[in-house]
Amino acid sequence: MTDAQETAAEPDLRTPGGGPPDDVEPAPIPLLEPREGIPPVVSTPEALASVLAAFAAGSGPVAVDAERASGYRYGQRAYLVQLRREGAGTALIDPVGCPDLSGLGEVLAGTEWILHAATQDLPCLREIGMVPSALFDTELAGRLAGFPRVGLGAMVESVLGYALEKGHSAVDWSTRPLPEPWLRYAALDVELLVDLRDALEKELDRQGKLEWARQEFDAIASAPPAPPRKDPWRRTSGMHKVRRRRQMAVVRELWTARDGVAQRRDVSPGKVLGDAAIVEAALALPVNVHALTALPGFGHRMGRRQLEQWQAAVDRARALPDAELPQPGQPVAGPPPPRSWADKDPAAAARLSAARASVSELAERLNLPQENLITPDTVRRVCWEPPKEGTSEAVAAALAALGARAWQIEQVTPLLTRALTATA
């Protein structure tokens, strides 16, 4: 056991594994209150200019959060951006009234951004011109530090001893004007992010994991935008029931038609037509509107025009020549599902079993989730097509080519090398 691991094993009342003794009654946790009240929502160029000046003059890192309208609106755009910085206070910005926040991104260039679950918010922030050059992700920091619960509320409570208000995370943030309780909730989301960041940095340093975290944060900040998903219709819920190519074509046509309607109306696709209804139509292949109406999800409350557009999509799929029907499944880049390895390549299955066991043991010793130590996909790829030379240098090179960070390569290379050579 290293010095860092011995230190990490010491109990701490506000770190993973810590807590009050059994015979001590826990003190009530105070509800967090905004230190400066709820700021007015910034929705004009003039008000935005004042925020830019204030945050440019502020000091230290900036806490950033964004609220979307998932399940209500089409896409994942931001409908509120929250910021907090020492010397500038808290700002609530309406991206509908101020759709271009690139000026804010410019005044914060070189400043560390603090986000909770950064990968969720970065895509919608990028759309409005906000891209960090350096960041600190408090959720990921909590994972690396071994916290069992890493939601923002749980982290603020266990690390800082405050309770956050709950209940507004899944509301329709495209609502205008935004109700005051929602704004209060949004402001509190960035109220203590800087304090949480500082406490987690100390905890990671105490455990000898701070450099690991920095490498992870750098990887997130430098990652390019995700490419568009190929054949997104294949992710329709219940798709596993659809096995014939003609039925798959119905799913594709209905999904595409629904997506066009949802985009035009700016509503969530699920509010236009449910996935379950799409799958029902694909399985039944209705020949007319009357047959379609009898299916679940296409009831009498649906207007005639809507029913006709869905039936038209089904008819297009029914009329396709066989050569234009989608193929079952997508060509998968990389190894097959592990459940088939024993039949296809018993040696690879043995390598994977040994590697998984070693990764699980090491992750438990380091007190962090296995997927943060090394992604399961990386392990599968190395085990399915191991390096021709079974040396640690070759394994390290293979891990680096798959995107593993230096700290992951250092930790995982020895055990993967042993797993690959022991089953050779």
Side-chain angles (χ1 to χ4, degrees), residues 413-424:
T413 293
L415 59 89
L416 283 187
T417 303
R418 286 194 297 270
L420 296 179
T421 54
T423 56

Side-chain angles (χ1 to χ4, degrees), residues 131-172:
V131 182
S133 55
L135 63 82
F136 189 107
D137 187 333
T138 49
E139 187 210 41
L140 182 51
R143 291 181 182 277
L144 294 175
F147 283 83
R149 297 167 60 225
V150 293
L152 181 59
M155 295 290 290
V156 167
E157 186 173 317
S158 62
V159 177
L160 302 176
Y162 285 96
L164 287 179
E165 289 187 3
K166 301 175 183 177
H168 301 303
S169 60
V171 299
D172 181 2

Side-chain angles (χ1 to χ4, degrees), residues 233 239-251 282-285 318 325-328:
W233 59 270
M239 189 69 191
H240 63 281
K241 302 175 186 176
V242 181
R243 302 190 181 280
R244 290 160 49 195
R245 294 175 63 199
R246 185 73 57 185
Q247 295 172 331
M248 291 179 186
V250 172
V251 173
L283 296 176
L285 291 171
R318 292 172 60 89
L325 296 176
Q327 294 296 326

